[in-house]
Amino acid sequence: MEKEKFYITTAIAYTSKKPHIGNTYEIILTDAIARFKRLQGYDVFFLTGTDEHGEKIEQLAKQSNMEPKAYVDIVAKEIKDIWDLMNTSYNKFIRTTDDYHEKTVQKIFKKLYEQGDIYKGFYEGLYCTPCESFFTETQLVDGKCPDCGREVKPAKEEAYFFKMSKYQDRLLKYIEDNPGFIEPEARKKEMINNFIKPGLQDLCVSRTSFKWGIPVDFDPGHVVYVWIDALTNYITALGYRCDSKDELYTKYWPADVHVIGKDIIRFHTIYWPIMLMALGEELPKKVYGHGWYLFGEDKMSKSKGNVIYADYLVKKFGVDAIRYYCLSEMSFAQDGSITYVDIINKYNSDLANTLGNLVNRTVAMINKYFEGNIYLPTNEEQVDIELKQYIQDTIVRVEENMNKLHVSDALEEIMNIAKRCNKYIDETEPWVLGKQEDTIPRLKTVLYNLIEAIRILSILLQSFMPETAKKIQVQINANVLDFESIKTFGKTEEGKVEKPEPLFARIDDKKMLEEIQKDMESEMKVEEEKKEEEKSNIITIDDFEKVELKVGQVLSVEKVENADKLLKLEVDLGTETRTIVSGIAKWYNQDNLLNKKIVVVTNLKPVKLRGIESNGMLLAAGEEDVKLLTIDGDLPAGTSIH
Ligand code: ME8
């Protein structure tokens, strides 16, 4: 029978800077869902990638003295390396600078323009550069950007717009007809009541104020503004080419779920479906906006120095411990909190004490009593029936939770199997059974039940902690590993376990926190040294080239009334004459200045001195005795100096 398809995506991460643990949570979450679906027998396609255009990225590249493409190449690699480090099983990593994506976006833009969904106009509003978004006055929070809380500035530019309102009734109907489309439910009401019902604003879809974007091919100067470029990744990655469609697209589209953060729900549940309607394509089945990880109670921010990165956490705690923490500490539709103390506590209680201990004790007892041999069970007691029932019920609850995307609840249920098994050990007291010959058959049964429970647990765990699940399966030599096999208790056959290997060594919390403190201090030192370096007066050639210098010839010299030090000069700059006010009256006058060829800074912001606008600056040397810089030889006025 052909497998049912399941297409799942993450948001594509901005290549503005290295992703923090919050962004990393999203790929781990999506990975757990994708792996679980594969386990359930679906044919899964899991897409992730990077969002690489925009003004902010252009600015950041400039600050690093780099071309935007060279800059995004570095950050995209950093992102991909972290996704790989976290052992995520994506099928494709798309970059919005990929050639096929750029070409398709141009075709899409043109098609929408030609069919009248996009028109040209002017955009005026309050603009937030980091978020690359315009806002109206009423959308601001305390006069600042509602998304990031930073300053906004008034801006106006020629731009193309997407007529959103044309599709709003159809969108509303789709949302109402498909109750599972927007998750969580509360955000659905917000989208309907705050955005769709009051009437959708047209969306600005091109920009002229920066260059780093996909060019609108029929109107040079315009680049496609971020959302058409970014959202369409979900279809271009599958081979949607506007005028043709690859097999992959026909097979996997529409998406079964777009997993994204709560801040971009509006873009995915309003603009994206409307773009698809305009293209005549099917809409995604579900958009799930997860919560955000906070550092304790605070939003993570570099300036607050509370940004946590996944690679550092992995170095300290290991990949699976971090996957486990991230997946279990954020409940469905809520925000989560992350602190080093909480990670250590959870690691010690859940991973070292509950899970690690269970596997270790069980494997150690089988080695101790039966030289590693697993024997089939012989006699069943009430405690065994209860254990089996508990496990069967739990499997159902895990599946139900995963189908609802209640991932942390599913994981908690799985961990409860380990707790329940530890309780079973207390109830059956294998160390007592091992003392007498006549209870040995019972001991064999108890240890069999534990190994079988651990096998089931490891299969359920593999979507969340793949490496740990594998390690467990290797230790117990489990070879029946399919999902169906866990639905009947007792698939383990006679066999042997390996020697016990601890899965998670307990962490000394005091020592670990001291280490982290030290690491943070040395990182802060490096940051400070970097800042000091930036503050020092070394400049790059690019900095120097910002100053525009030209040869100027003095055409007239006048004293400024009531100002002993100032002279007003008219200076010929070849294509124009400028008025420059300069404080050189003590050393210069008409006689020694007229017709002189001097050096002028021509791109300085004009200033008013004694009511006269001075438009440029002369270069001179000395404090007590001042001499103007002149030209050695003859060059025409206006010659640029470099
Ligand atoms: O939004 N906790 O990219 P991005 C959890 N390029 N999730 C968080 C988070 C936190 N503290 N901070 C951010 C973009 N995220 C766009 C997406 S999709 C076509 C374009 C989530 O790098 C955020 O909500 O800023 C988003 O889903 C993802 O990380 C990438 O964020």
Side-chain angles (χ1 to χ4, degrees):
M1 208 178 72
E2 210 184 317
K3 286 181 174 180
E4 202 178 323
K5 70 93 188 175
F6 190 81
Y7 180 35
I8 184 166
T9 66
T10 65
I12 45 173
Y14 279 129
T15 45
S16 45
K17 48 187 186 267
K18 178 175 165 176
H20 54 56
I21 191 65
N23 311 119
T24 313
Y25 162 71
E26 185 169 296
I27 186 94
I28 300 173
L29 173 72
T30 312
D31 183 59
I33 301 166
R35 284 179 186 266
F36 199 82
K37 282 283 166 191
R38 286 193 197 110
L39 183 67
Q40 286 176 311
Y42 286 82
D43 171 0
V44 173
F45 196 90
F46 169 12
L47 176 73
T48 190
T50 40
D51 188 357
E52 307 196 354
H53 294 119
E55 188 173 12
K56 191 179 165 196
I57 290 169
E58 186 178 84
Q59 283 169 357
L60 286 166
K62 204 165 175 196
Q63 278 165 25
S64 310
N65 287 320
M66 289 172 92
E67 285 300 316
K69 182 62 169 62
Y71 181 85
V72 297
D73 280 348
I74 292 174
V75 185
K77 176 162 187 321
E78 239 171 357
I79 293 171
K80 190 166 180 295
D81 285 348
I82 291 185
W83 283 193
D84 290 340
L85 175 70
M86 296 320 296
N87 197 4
T88 55
S89 62
Y90 54 84
N91 297 91
K92 182 166 176 143
F93 191 101
I94 184 175
R95 299 180 56 183
T96 54
T97 50
D98 287 342
D99 191 49
Y100 65 86
H101 176 78
E102 294 194 342
K103 288 205 173 95
T104 311
V105 168
Q106 287 182 322
K107 282 193 220 162
I108 290 175
F109 198 95
K110 199 163 175 192
K111 177 182 159 97
L112 296 176
Y113 177 70
E114 281 169 356
Q115 69 188 34
D117 284 312
I118 287 179
Y119 64 93
K120 197 167 176 176
F122 275 100
Y123 205 102
E124 250 190 300
L126 297 157
Y127 187 65
C128 173
T129 308
C131 296
E132 295 174 354
S133 297
F134 273 100
F135 297 99
T136 59
E137 199 82 52
T138 52
Q139 286 172 321
L140 301 183
V141 175
D142 300 331
K144 304 257 168 70
C145 169
D147 288 341
C148 74
R150 277 176 273 220
E151 295 288 338
V152 290
K153 57 179 191 220
K156 176 177 177 175
E157 63 180 53
E158 189 187 80
Y160 285 91
F161 290 86
F162 194 121
K163 273 186 216 157
M164 288 286 152
S165 48
K166 180 172 155 192
Y167 294 94
Q168 78 186 40
D169 294 342
R170 265 175 72 190
L171 176 66
L172 191 59
K173 183 161 185 325
Y174 182 80
I175 295 174
E176 282 167 354
D177 290 349
N178 295 275
F181 175 56
I182 306 176
E183 299 261 20
E185 182 74 20
R187 300 308 297 268
K188 176 161 100 186
K189 294 197 186 100
E190 185 191 331
M191 292 304 125
I192 294 176
N193 297 333
N194 298 6
F195 294 99
I196 306 175
K197 285 207 169 145
L200 288 177
Q201 306 271 327
D202 289 350
L203 180 72
C204 175
V205 288
S206 85
R207 304 297 309 276
T208 53
S209 58
F210 62 92
K211 296 260 162 310
W212 182 237
I214 301 174
V216 173
D217 52 2
F218 56 88
D219 194 348
H222 284 262
V223 293
V224 177
Y225 177 48
V226 60
W227 288 103
I228 286 197
D229 174 359
L231 289 161
T232 49
N233 90 86
Y234 301 130
I235 55 175
T236 64
L238 292 181
Y240 173 87
R241 298 285 176 269
C242 203
D243 42 17
S244 71
K245 295 168 193 178
D246 287 0
E247 216 175 276
L248 215 55
Y249 180 79
T250 325
K251 178 170 180 193
Y252 288 107
W253 189 257
D256 292 272
V257 55
H258 291 310
V259 178
I260 54 156
K262 61 180 184 178
D263 57 321
I264 50 175
I265 294 182
R266 180 160 50 103
F267 300 101
H268 283 78
T269 60
I270 297 178
Y271 305 137
W272 178 225
I274 287 180
M275 282 176 207
L276 287 163
M277 282 180 200
L279 291 172
E281 299 300 319
E282 279 187 75
L283 308 198
K285 292 186 195 158
K286 190 185 285 298
V287 173
Y288 169 45
H290 60 73
W292 269 29
Y293 261 113
L294 306 174
F295 180 79
E297 312 254 293
D298 295 330
K299 200 169 160 174
M300 273 186 250
S301 97
K302 258 208 148 161
S303 55
K304 283 189 200 153
N306 64 2
V307 180
I308 304 186
Y309 296 102
D311 48 352
Y312 178 72
L313 293 175
V314 166
K315 210 162 72 190
K316 290 288 176 208
F317 304 98
V319 174
D320 275 2
I322 296 311
R323 287 179 63 110
Y324 178 71
Y325 185 90
C326 287
L327 292 170
S328 61
E329 272 303 296
M330 181 143 13
S331 303
F332 182 79
Q334 314 254 301
D335 283 335
S337 149
I338 188 161
T339 66
Y340 293 108
V341 174
D342 289 344
I343 297 175
I344 297 169
N345 288 343
K346 207 162 180 75
Y347 179 105
N348 280 339
S349 74
D350 294 6
L351 301 182
N353 288 359
T354 304
L355 178 66
N357 214 3
L358 166 71
V359 177
N360 199 259
R361 284 207 281 177
T362 305
V363 175
M365 284 191 286
I366 295 178
N367 273 289
K368 178 175 168 191
Y369 295 113
F370 304 119
E371 287 163 345
N373 289 303
I374 306 166
Y375 296 103
L376 292 181
T378 46
N379 55 341
E380 191 177 65
E381 294 190 4
Q382 186 54 32
V383 270
D384 306 348
I385 296 171
E386 284 169 17
L387 176 78
K388 291 176 200 174
Q389 193 55 52
Y390 182 85
I391 291 172
Q392 293 315 308
D393 294 347
T394 304
I395 295 169
V396 175
R397 287 196 294 267
V398 169
E399 257 195 300
E400 277 170 4
N401 278 316
M402 285 308 282
N403 291 343
K404 289 189 288 184
L405 306 177
H406 289 200
V407 176
S408 64
D409 295 337
L411 188 50
E412 190 179 347
E413 290 286 357
I414 297 170
M415 229 14 113
N416 283 342
I417 296 182
K419 286 189 187 145
R420 182 65 189 80
C421 288
N422 281 325
K423 186 170 162 231
Y424 178 77
I425 296 179
D426 294 342
E427 288 166 346
T428 52
E429 300 182 315
W431 52 92
V432 176
L433 299 175
K435 280 188 186 144
Q436 283 173 352
E437 201 53 42
D438 59 339
T439 48
I440 290 298
R442 177 65 193 143
L443 180 60
K444 286 180 179 166
T445 300
V446 165
L447 292 178
Y448 176 90
N449 287 340
L450 284 169
I451 282 295
E452 173 64 353
I454 290 171
R455 182 188 73 88
I456 294 174
L457 171 62
S458 79
I459 291 169
L460 288 172
L461 202 60
Q462 68 199 18
S463 311
F464 308 85
M465 301 170 78
E467 269 180 12
T468 305
K470 184 92 205 130
K471 278 190 199 159
I472 296 173
Q473 288 159 3
V474 166
Q475 263 190 65
I476 65 170
N477 269 317
N479 41 32
V480 187
L481 296 172
D482 61 289
F483 192 55
E484 271 314 297
S485 77
I486 68 177
K487 296 188 174 163
T488 13
F489 194 94
K491 293 280 179 196
T492 292
E493 289 169 1
E494 277 187 350
K496 247 183 132 104
V497 297
E498 301 294 326
K499 295 274 173 276
E501 287 266 349
L503 294 171
F504 298 97
R506 255 192 90 78
I507 291 174
D508 178 336
D509 53 352
K510 208 165 149 251
K511 212 171 117 208
M512 178 62 99
L513 287 171
E514 274 169 17
E515 258 177 52
I516 290 171
Q517 184 65 30
K518 258 201 211 134
D519 291 343
M520 274 162 51
E521 279 164 12
S522 61
E523 201 194 313
M524 260 156 70
K525 213 169 137 210
V526 172
E527 285 279 318
E528 266 161 31
E529 280 168 7
K530 224 163 87 189
K531 269 195 205 140
E532 278 306 309
E533 210 173 282
E534 277 166 15
K535 266 198 265 164
S536 72
N537 57 4
I538 304 285
I539 61 164
T540 65
I541 186 79
D542 289 346
D543 294 330
F544 180 73
E545 275 178 0
K546 282 187 195 150
V547 183
E548 194 179 274
L549 297 169
K550 281 189 182 161
V551 175
Q553 184 161 27
V554 181
L555 298 179
S556 71
V557 182
E558 238 178 80
K559 286 201 76 137
V560 175
E561 240 175 76
N562 300 327
D564 297 345
K565 294 182 187 158
L566 298 183
L567 287 184
K568 178 186 164 205
L569 316 176
E570 292 300 320
V571 180
D572 176 11
L573 288 165
T575 52
E576 57 175 332
T577 303
R578 294 237 193 135
T579 303
I580 297 176
V581 179
S582 179
I584 50 171
K586 200 170 157 194
W587 304 282
Y588 288 93
N589 53 45
Q590 177 146 2
D591 297 341
N592 59 7
L593 202 49
L594 203 62
N595 291 327
K596 241 197 176 93
K597 296 243 171 107
I598 53 173
V599 177
V600 181
V601 180
T602 52
N603 63 341
L604 204 65
K605 198 171 165 191
V607 283
K608 267 206 169 150
L609 295 168
R610 297 285 160 136
I612 308 166
E613 189 174 278
S614 176
N615 198 357
M617 186 173 77
L618 316 183
L619 293 191
E623 298 292 334
E624 293 302 314
D625 188 16
V626 168
K627 301 279 182 220
L628 281 172
L629 267 65
T630 54
I631 299 300
D632 173 23
D634 200 21
L635 278 175
T639 307
S640 55
I641 299 172
H642 42 82

